[in-house]
């Protein structure tokens, strides 16, 4: 057996295979034909696809987001207005940061090329995951805002400025880094989000800056952030399908 193994290895080193380009092209054509024939036989609705993507998402992140909102609401109820501003300003970006690992899973696991060859494209995978997170996080935030308004007597305008504005800006940072070709690690997105927390806290601590901006101006800033977030999401959807279905 050892002698035969040595002979096989020696033959492998000595022989130089010469691939036939025509045969390779025939193999590609046959593989594509088999793929499309199989795809036509399997009918998967988009709702089933979304359900399958829900199964792939680790539910612990939603649990952590729920616990964050729960403890934030409890502390805001017993805190004064100045402390409540800081708590909401810190909790909002952290709420978004907890979703980064799942949104970056395709890139961090180096599975972009593999998923790009699947029946559903990378664009559809990102669309499904963002839709799922949008529905679940929207439900959590809706309940949080309603409970906070009723129990802590926090006005809707204050929640918009103190919580949703820093949260939307954090979303802009995350989606902008997600569609970047230079940034390939989710840790960069987390670092930039934490840096934004520090900047926002400084704005809150500086009473002159915070009070100098009127409520209508804050709403305009929030609306501008929403528009940029829409642009960033559209760019993610556009860039994730370019080239070989990869943004790296």
């Amino acid at each position: 057996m050892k002698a035969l193994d040595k002979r096989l290895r020696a033959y492998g080193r000595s022989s130089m295979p010469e691939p036939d380009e025509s045969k390779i092209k025939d193999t590609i054509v046959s593989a594509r034909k088999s793929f499309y024939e199989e795809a036509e036989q399997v009918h998967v609705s988009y709702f089933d696809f979304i359900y399958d993507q829900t199964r792939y998402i680790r539910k612990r992140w939603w649990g952590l987001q729920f616990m964050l909102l729960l403890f934030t609401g409890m502390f805001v109820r017993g805190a004064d207005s100045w402390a409540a501003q800081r708590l909401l300003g810190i909790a909002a970006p952290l709420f978004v940061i907890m979703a980064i690992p799942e949104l970056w899973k395709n890139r961090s696991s180096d599975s972009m090329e593999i998923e790009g060859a699947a029946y559903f494209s990378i664009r559809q995978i990102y669309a499904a995951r963002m839709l799922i997170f949008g529905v679940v996080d929207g439900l959590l935030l809706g309940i949080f805002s309603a409970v906070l308004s009723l129990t802590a007597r926090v006005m809707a305008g204050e929640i918009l400025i103190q919580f949703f504005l820093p949260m939307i800006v954090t979303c802009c940072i995350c989606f902008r880094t997600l569609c970047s070709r230079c940034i390939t690690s989710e840790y960069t997105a987390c670092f930039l989000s934490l840096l934004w927390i520090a900047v926002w806290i400084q704005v809150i601590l500086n009473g002159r800056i915070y009070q100098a901006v009127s409520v209508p101006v804050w709403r305009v800033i929030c609306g501008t952030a929403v528009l940029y977030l829409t642009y960033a999401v559209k760019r993610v959807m556009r860039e994730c399908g370019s080239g070989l279905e990869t943004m790296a």
Side-chain angles (χ1 to χ4, degrees):
M1 292 297 297
K2 292 183 178 179
L4 179 60
D5 187 50
K6 290 182 179 179
R7 292 176 62 185
L8 290 175
R9 291 182 178 180
Y11 176 77
R13 289 192 297 266
S14 61
S15 61
M16 297 295 293
E18 297 181 1
D20 190 345
E21 186 175 352
S22 61
K23 298 295 183 181
I24 295 177
K25 291 181 179 180
D26 293 339
T27 303
I28 295 174
V29 172
S30 300
R32 287 179 175 177
K33 182 179 179 181
S34 300
F35 176 82
Y36 290 124
E37 288 178 353
E38 185 68 21
E40 291 178 355
Q41 296 176 1
V42 180
H43 299 282
V44 180
S45 66
Y46 198 68
F47 291 101
D48 294 333
F49 172 67
I50 292 177
Y51 175 75
D52 291 337
Q53 288 296 316
T54 305
R55 296 171 55 190
Y56 297 144
I57 296 176
R58 289 170 290 186
K59 309 304 184 295
R60 63 185 181 186
W61 300 113
W62 286 330
L64 290 174
Q65 286 180 327
F66 173 78
M67 296 301 296
L68 174 66
L69 296 180
L70 178 63
F71 285 115
T72 300
M74 293 173 57
F75 284 117
V76 169
R77 289 181 58 186
D80 54 30
S81 60
W82 184 70
Q85 290 177 0
R86 290 190 298 171
L87 289 172
L88 292 174
I90 295 174
L94 291 178
F95 182 84
V96 179
I97 289 175
M98 291 179 182
I100 290 178
E102 288 299 319
L103 293 177
W104 280 74
K105 184 186 295 184
N106 307 69
R107 301 184 68 179
S108 60
S109 60
D110 295 329
S111 62
M112 300 289 287
E113 291 82 1
I114 297 175
E115 293 180 349
Y119 180 75
F120 288 96
S121 64
I122 297 257
R123 182 180 290 106
Q124 291 172 314
I125 293 174
Y126 270 111
R129 290 185 180 177
M130 286 190 288
L131 176 62
I132 294 168
F133 269 97
V135 172
V136 176
D137 289 351
L139 180 62
L140 291 175
L141 293 173
I143 296 174
F144 172 74
S145 301
V147 172
L148 202 63
S149 300
L150 295 175
T151 60
R153 299 184 181 278
V154 181
M155 300 297 293
E158 295 180 356
I159 298 177
L160 176 66
I161 297 173
Q162 300 169 11
F163 185 85
F164 282 98
L165 176 57
M167 186 194 72
I168 294 172
V169 174
T170 307
C171 290
C172 294
I173 295 173
C174 294
F175 282 108
R176 184 62 187 86
T177 54
L178 183 61
C179 66
S180 174
R181 296 176 181 270
C182 301
I183 301 175
T184 58
S185 174
E186 67 270 28
Y187 296 109
T188 304
C190 293
F191 172 76
L192 294 176
S193 299
L194 294 175
L195 185 63
W196 160 242
I197 294 178
V199 173
W200 179 249
I201 293 301
Q202 291 299 319
V203 173
I204 295 176
L205 292 178
N206 194 329
R208 291 179 300 177
I209 298 178
Y210 189 82
Q211 296 297 331
V213 182
S214 61
V215 174
V217 175
W218 281 121
R219 292 176 180 174
V220 171
I221 295 174
C222 187
T224 304
V226 172
L227 293 177
Y228 185 81
L229 176 61
T230 304
Y231 162 77
V233 172
K234 288 183 177 180
R235 182 167 180 178
V236 169
M237 299 304 298
R238 183 177 66 251
E239 293 292 335
C240 68
S242 63
L244 296 174
E245 292 293 333
T246 176
M247 296 176 294

